[in-house]
Amino acid sequence: VWRARIDGLPAESGLEAALSVSERTRAGNYRVQRDQIRFRYRRAILRDVLSRYTGIEPESLQFSRNEYGKPRLLDTGIAEKLSFSTSHSAGTAVVCVARSAAVGIDIEERAGKALSDNEAKTVLTRKELDVLSSLSDAARRDAFNCER
């Protein structure tokens, strides 16, 4: 799992040269400049991380989307063996990558109100609930933003 804080970075960077024309267009569709910058950095970071696993230059990576809109690598010979997921919230971006296993990741900005036990049961897996129940109250808040 790769994590990056993208707020506070300069509006222009060398990373953005790796973006495709469609990615640059999508970035330009955001009305607020901060969101344009965040989008460009998220895509540049995704390309940089995936290039480390594929050996393909970031600007040469090509993407498509599955039927649910999730991005995936176009056939590169390694695309079938490499799974990735990306998420963002506010000024943080994450990329999760695995070989020969499906992965997913999701992050959310802490909103101040912690998740109740009943709410946690609707969004966490059984394994995550088991881990959660073994933690102290302070550790619960830090790990899952949950309260008893």
Side-chain angles (χ1 to χ4, degrees), residues 112-136:
K113 180 183 176 285
L115 210 58
S116 71
D117 276 342
N118 285 336
E119 291 167 324
K121 289 175 187 172
T122 66
V123 297
L124 299 178
T125 65
R126 178 78 251 152
K127 186 175 181 179
E128 290 168 330
L129 288 169
D130 290 345
V131 170
L132 185 65
S133 67
S134 70
L135 299 174
S136 69

Side-chain angles (χ1 to χ4, degrees), residues 45-110:
I45 290 165
L46 173 64
R47 286 177 167 279
D48 181 65
V49 168
L50 292 177
S51 80
R52 295 167 189 261
Y53 288 86
T54 63
I56 299 170
E57 291 296 319
E59 62 275 6
S60 297
L61 292 169
Q62 295 183 345
F63 298 90
S64 65
R65 295 190 174 275
N66 70 14
E67 62 272 20
Y68 304 108
K70 182 178 178 182
R72 62 180 174 199
L73 287 171
L74 282 178
D75 187 26
T76 61
I78 194 169
E80 314 79 47
K81 300 174 191 156
L82 192 68
S83 174
F84 71 93
S85 181
T86 179
S87 182
H88 63 91
S89 184
T92 300
V94 292
V95 177
C96 181
V97 183
R99 298 182 197 274
S100 303
V103 294
I105 192 163
D106 186 36
I107 63 170
E108 295 295 331
E109 182 178 30
R110 287 188 174 185

